[in-house]
Amino acid sequence: MADTDATDEQRPVSVLFVCLGNICRSPMAEGVFRNLAKSDKHLGKVDSAGTGAYHEGCPPDPRTMSVLEENGNVDYHHSARKVRSSDFKDFDYVLAMDDENLDNLLRLQRRIAKNGGTGAAPAKVMLFGDFGGSKGEQVVDPYYGARDGFTIAYEQMTRFSKGLIEQVLQARDVEEEPER
């Protein structure tokens, strides 16, 4: 992953959030997580991407941005991009918003590993919702719905981000404490 010279405990944790088009759920997750974890010393690279290239180069959906801004996240900027093969090497966690995207990511990761050998795609690929208290919780795509779907997604992103911070980032603080 990003810094191969550092031990796992020393290396910052990098996270990639993934949905279908990278304009609704994954950029919202990225914005929420960045905001909540911005001062954590264990946080490394954070980004978001889509499994499809439908909106490549586009900014997030205006409803995503308005919900982020309503909740105090006013300095978030992003251009949609598609997941790259290198993401599975560059990020420690690749977090999908739903089962369909999770399946696509796992399939891509297996293909990369098959072609590149051991270590070609070491990222931990899983549902972001697994950090929210209920294994397998998914974020429904709000794109075709009303604005309230974006508010529901925001509430989920906040809960999942807090779980990720607690289970991954803060867990490193416990690992670093010297024995007495």
Side-chain angles (χ1 to χ4, degrees), residues 10-23:
Q10 296 170 327
R11 186 173 35 80
V13 175
S14 55
V15 182
L16 179 68
F17 298 98
V18 181
C19 67
L20 182 61
N22 193 219
I23 61 167

Side-chain angles (χ1 to χ4, degrees), residues 1 8 15 34 43 60 66 77 88-89 103:
M1 296 172 236
D8 282 346
V15 182
R34 278 181 184 274
L43 184 62
S66 69
H77 305 282
F88 294 94
K89 193 171 48 176
D103 290 343

Side-chain angles (χ1 to χ4, degrees), residues 10-161:
Q10 296 170 327
R11 186 173 35 80
V13 175
S14 55
V15 182
L16 179 68
F17 298 98
V18 181
C19 67
L20 182 61
N22 193 219
I23 61 167
C24 296
R25 296 172 290 173
S26 58
M28 183 181 286
E30 178 191 353
V32 169
F33 182 72
R34 278 181 184 274
N35 194 46
L36 291 174
K38 63 185 165 204
S39 63
D40 194 294
K41 65 183 179 185
H42 301 295
L43 184 62
K45 184 176 181 180
V46 180
D47 198 1
S48 63
T51 55
Y54 312 108
H55 304 286
E56 218 164 354
C58 295
D61 185 289
R63 297 166 292 179
T64 293
M65 294 307 295
S66 69
V67 169
L68 285 173
E69 289 166 2
E70 277 177 15
N71 289 281
N73 196 334
V74 295
D75 58 352
Y76 177 72
H77 305 282
H78 181 74
S79 290
R81 72 172 182 88
K82 187 175 179 185
V83 171
R84 299 182 287 257
S85 297
S86 60
D87 289 334
F88 294 94
K89 193 171 48 176
D90 295 342
F91 290 93
D92 298 299
Y93 289 85
V94 176
L95 303 175
M97 299 298 125
D98 59 34
D99 284 336
E100 185 176 343
N101 286 295
L102 178 62
D103 290 343
N104 289 334
L105 289 167
L106 290 170
R107 194 169 26 258
L108 179 57
Q109 185 182 40
R110 282 190 301 271
R111 191 173 341 136
I112 294 164
K114 181 180 176 184
N115 294 333
T118 308
K124 185 168 187 170
V125 179
M126 58 192 289
L127 281 174
F128 185 32
D130 287 350
F131 290 103
S134 299
K135 274 283 196 217
E137 187 173 350
Q138 300 180 63
V139 181
V140 175
D141 192 346
Y143 184 73
Y144 292 106
R147 190 175 184 285
D148 66 331
F150 288 81
T151 302
I152 292 166
Y154 179 84
E155 292 165 359
Q156 287 180 294
M157 302 307 176
T158 301
R159 185 165 39 90
F160 301 166
S161 290

